[in-house]
Amino acid sequence: MNIEIDVNVSADAWESFDGLEKLTRNCVEASLAESGARLVEGCEISVTFCDDAEIQELNAEWRGKDKPTNVLSFPTPGPLSARPLLGDIVIAFETVAREAEEQEKTLREHTAHMVIHGFLHLIGYDHETAAEADEMESLERRIASRLGLRDPYAGEAAGEEDEAGELNEGHVDTI
């Protein structure tokens, strides 16, 4: 499957992250292979690596939550098999770096998880219920393993709520 990935870096902090584009591509390709999703040949996604201020504005506008978050996904409406543009993923440096430290992960591992998580939202996965969270987290674990990464949920129960009382952040139904 040929998928076009437009990687945008809008925050200086990401500039020192070596191999960001390659990591993004590897995560998307592994997510696609493991999920078995059927996409339009040559479909496109955009992945923006920003700072907390930028993602906070988007989170306030689209989710009504005036705070930064780790990842937001903006899937294009319509059936997956008929969407030449899958949507956009936005990932915030400061939040991802802080979470990586708190969770004793490398920045690379946690960034990979955010790309995987965001992409799965674009292809229709969600975590609004415990059953959905179990399914999505299981798939994220398999993708991480495929990439040679540690379990992104090690030490957590499936569907566990974060400190804000939410199953996870970041899915926006429409753009």
Side-chain angles (χ1 to χ4, degrees):
M1 166 61 58
N2 184 20
I3 184 168
E4 298 295 322
I5 305 168
D6 183 24
V7 174
N8 305 293
V9 177
S10 65
D12 291 341
W14 287 108
E15 294 293 340
S16 63
F17 191 112
D18 189 41
L20 189 58
E21 246 181 272
K22 183 177 182 185
L23 178 71
T24 301
R25 172 158 292 287
N26 290 344
C27 290
V28 168
E29 288 175 353
S31 298
L32 191 54
E34 195 65 39
S35 70
R38 299 232 188 275
L39 306 178
V40 173
E41 183 65 31
C43 66
E44 298 178 26
I45 68 167
S46 171
V47 183
T48 299
F49 293 91
C50 68
D51 60 19
D52 273 7
E54 186 175 344
I55 210 164
Q56 182 170 344
E57 285 180 31
L58 292 169
N59 205 22
E61 181 177 348
W62 294 102
R63 298 181 69 230
K65 297 183 180 197
D66 191 14
K67 63 180 183 174
T69 188
N70 49 21
V71 60
L72 290 172
S73 297
F74 297 89
T76 303
L80 189 58
S81 61
R83 290 182 4 213
L85 177 61
L86 285 180
D88 302 307
I89 301 168
V90 184
I91 300 172
F93 184 82
E94 295 92 339
T95 297
V96 171
R98 184 187 83 258
E99 289 175 347
E101 186 176 325
E102 290 169 356
Q103 297 169 21
E104 298 179 354
K105 298 175 182 174
T106 67
L107 180 59
R108 180 170 296 283
E109 285 173 317
H110 198 46
T111 300
H113 182 211
M114 295 301 95
V115 172
I116 292 164
H117 188 89
F119 182 77
L120 292 179
H121 277 308
L122 294 186
I123 62 172
Y125 287 88
D126 212 338
H127 44 76
E128 292 297 315
T129 67
E132 288 174 339
D134 287 346
E135 179 183 14
M136 189 170 177
E137 289 174 15
S138 174
L139 182 54
E140 288 172 294
R141 286 181 164 108
R142 292 193 313 270
I143 295 163
S145 177
R146 179 184 280 253
L147 290 166
L149 302 172
R150 292 184 294 167
D151 178 350
Y153 292 103
E156 295 179 27
E160 182 176 271
E161 292 182 350
D162 65 14
E163 64 276 356
E166 298 177 358
L167 283 176
N168 208 310
E169 290 287 347
H171 174 230
V172 178
D173 290 319
T174 58
I175 53 176

